[in-house]
Amino acid sequence: MDKKPDQNLKLLYVGSAPETIEELKACQNFELSVKENSITALNYLERNAGNIDAIISELYLPGNNGIDLKSLLMSQKLGHKKPFIIVAHEVEADKRQNAIENNVDDFFQMPLDIEKIYRRILFLKNKPDFVSHEDTAIGFQNYSTPLLKRSFDILVAGGTLLFAGIPLLLIMLAIRLESKGKAFYISKRMGANFRIFDFYKLRSMYPDADKRLKEVEHLNQYVKEDIGECEKCAALPEGKYCSPVHFIEGNAVCENMANREKKRVAFMKIENDPRITKVGKFIRNTSIDELPQLINILKGDMSIVGNRPLPLGEAYELTRGDRAKRFFTAAGLTGLWQVELRGRGGDMSEEERFDLDNQYAANNSFWGDINLILRTFKIFIQRKSV
């Protein structure tokens, strides 16, 4: 690192990659402890969890992997609130998404950029409940809900829950009668300021919907044409790549192509999804499935109007550069792109959605929110299942 930052950090490194360990040891801003596997790391943390600033683990460890180690730390409450970063020689898309969904804070490819690792850990120490890429962290803008907007949220959400209590119970009973499983669906979402929270909906799909995702990927409205091939790699000898190598479904591609693929499938929206139940179709078409999010609003996770909180796999791909601006405002039950999308019958490209999210983040106001709510009521009963 060219310039020595002010703060030194105590790190626990789990793994045995000699070059990476030497790189971290050579940094004057790191005080490094190294453990080769999960068992020795757990034993160390039982005595020293309060004395470390962050944990860096290799993806593949003897007997398990870094994702399993993170889950184990959380279950045993050993350093579970410390920044946890996984490093690997090859960053596979499915492994990275699995890591983020299991509360890993970030995923870096070897050889490491030590300065980026340092900045990333500093950000995570200061914002333990947030997720973003290190380059977004530098320009981070903390959002606070205005008092008028928050008062409106509490009044509307509380009043609606009181009014809709009995109908909501009847719908929950219908969901349980049609298919086995819980009436509520709870998932992790990312909202304002990159904060992760439990997101509530009425279950509208069959319980095995997640396992059947591969069956319906070809129906995704946001999937575009083939991404083609990298022009820079085409000019290089076979087996050579213009940028660091990533693996997508077992195929090696350069980082440029990996980024194109991420942009292509960043959102999943399926028309007439066969995994949706009959009751589910009704509550989706009438937006009744969204009612439990009023609880999120009362808790302060969301507002009535804002940018839609995203599943972690989708959200993580948008936390760098201009696209991250969507997170610098409230997460909402309804918002600009939802109104525009349903007003057009579900016809909207991924880029248009990005632009509308950023537009709302830059120009939102209380009276603008009221206007969006009025527009939402006009299209409350949808003609298409989108």
Side-chain angles (χ1 to χ4, degrees):
M1 297 172 65
D2 298 330
K3 181 179 179 181
K4 180 179 177 180
D6 297 330
Q7 186 175 351
N8 290 336
L9 299 171
K10 295 181 179 180
L11 304 185
L12 170 62
Y13 183 89
V14 186
S16 57
E19 292 182 2
T20 301
I21 292 172
E22 289 305 314
E23 286 177 351
L24 292 171
K25 282 183 175 179
C27 176
Q28 297 180 11
N29 300 108
F30 289 147
E31 182 180 325
L32 194 67
S33 298
V34 180
K35 303 299 172 184
E36 292 187 356
N37 55 57
S38 296
I39 294 176
T40 55
L42 287 170
N43 290 336
Y44 176 83
L45 287 169
E46 285 180 355
R47 303 185 303 272
N48 301 284
N51 297 324
I52 64 168
D53 294 300
I55 301 168
I56 299 177
S57 173
E58 294 173 14
L59 175 59
Y60 297 108
L61 300 170
N64 64 358
N65 61 44
I67 302 172
D68 295 332
L69 174 59
K70 174 61 176 178
S71 299
L72 195 57
L73 295 180
M74 292 189 69
S75 67
Q76 298 191 18
K77 297 186 186 296
L78 281 175
H80 61 293
K81 294 185 178 180
K82 305 290 185 181
F84 190 100
I85 293 172
I86 282 181
V87 296
H89 290 287
E90 297 171 351
V91 180
E92 301 171 48
D94 59 335
K95 288 289 191 300
R96 183 177 63 179
Q97 180 166 335
N98 185 28
I100 298 303
E101 290 174 350
N102 284 277
N103 300 294
V104 170
D105 293 300
D106 214 336
F107 206 128
F108 281 80
Q109 184 167 345
M110 302 176 187
L112 300 182
D113 184 322
I114 300 301
E115 184 175 358
K116 285 186 178 181
I117 287 279
Y118 178 82
R119 290 204 310 264
R120 185 69 174 120
I121 293 173
L122 282 183
F123 176 76
L124 291 168
K125 274 172 58 65
N126 295 326
K127 299 286 183 183
D129 296 327
F130 302 89
V131 173
S132 76
H133 290 279
E134 54 82 25
D135 55 354
T136 302
I138 299 171
F140 183 78
Q141 305 172 34
N142 192 60
Y143 171 81
S144 180
T145 306
L147 180 60
L148 183 59
K149 183 180 179 77
R150 180 64 183 146
S151 301
F152 179 81
D153 289 342
I154 294 172
L155 180 64
V156 173
T160 304
L161 279 175
L162 287 174
F163 178 77
I166 293 177
L168 188 58
L169 290 174
L170 292 175
I171 291 168
M172 291 170 62
L173 177 61
I175 292 170
R176 294 292 302 273
L177 288 175
E178 183 177 7
S179 60
K180 294 181 180 180
K182 297 180 180 179
F184 282 95
Y185 178 76
I186 301 175
S187 62
K188 295 290 185 182
R189 296 289 178 103
M190 186 186 295
N193 301 324
F194 309 110
R195 191 172 70 85
I196 297 170
F197 62 92
D198 288 329
F199 176 85
Y200 308 124
K201 291 186 75 170
L202 289 175
R203 179 171 60 83
S204 59
M205 291 187 173
Y206 290 100
D208 64 346
D210 290 342
K211 297 177 182 178
R212 296 171 56 192
L213 186 60
K214 287 289 184 182
E215 299 175 18
V216 296
E217 282 183 341
H218 66 286
L219 301 174
N220 186 7
Q221 291 180 353
Y222 292 112
V223 171
K224 299 179 181 179
E225 67 279 357
D226 187 90
I227 60 174
E229 62 178 357
C230 176
E231 299 81 3
K232 293 181 180 179
C233 289
L236 298 174
E238 185 176 354
K240 299 293 184 180
Y241 299 90
C242 69
S243 52
V245 177
H246 294 250
F247 285 81
I248 298 178
E249 297 183 352
N251 298 315
V253 297
C254 68
E255 189 169 55
N256 293 330
M257 295 301 293
N259 287 335
R260 288 188 200 177
E261 177 67 12
K262 292 171 198 171
K263 293 176 183 177
R264 186 175 72 91
V265 298
F267 288 111
M268 177 70 73
K269 198 75 172 179
I270 297 171
E271 185 175 0
N272 298 320
D273 194 324
R275 300 171 299 162
I276 298 174
T277 64
K278 293 179 181 178
V279 174
K281 185 174 182 179
F282 169 74
I283 62 177
R284 282 192 172 202
N285 284 352
T286 56
S287 296
I288 291 173
D289 64 323
E290 311 283 358
L291 283 177
Q293 288 156 49
L294 296 172
I295 300 171
N296 287 120
I297 292 170
L298 291 177
K299 290 172 61 180
D301 300 325
M302 298 169 55
S303 290
I304 298 295
V305 182
N307 283 334
R308 195 67 175 160
L310 298 178
L312 301 190
E314 295 177 12
Y316 188 75
E317 302 302 340
L318 303 180
T319 56
R320 68 167 74 243
D322 286 341
R323 293 183 175 184
K325 293 176 182 177
R326 74 175 310 281
F327 296 103
F328 299 155
T329 191
L333 181 65
T334 188
L336 182 58
W337 80 258
Q338 292 98 319
V339 172
E340 295 289 342
L341 173 70
R342 290 173 177 173
R344 303 188 210 172
D347 183 18
M348 180 178 291
S349 71
E350 178 184 296
E351 292 301 327
E352 287 175 302
R353 181 174 169 177
F354 292 148
D355 291 343
L356 289 172
D357 281 346
N358 283 353
Q359 182 180 326
Y360 178 81
N363 302 305
N364 68 88
S365 67
F366 177 74
W367 294 112
D369 287 354
I370 297 298
N371 180 56
L372 285 174
I373 291 171
L374 294 175
R375 291 178 63 190
T376 300
F377 281 134
K378 292 180 181 179
I379 54 174
F380 190 77
I381 305 297
Q382 304 171 52
R383 294 183 179 179
K384 295 178 71 178
S385 178
V386 296

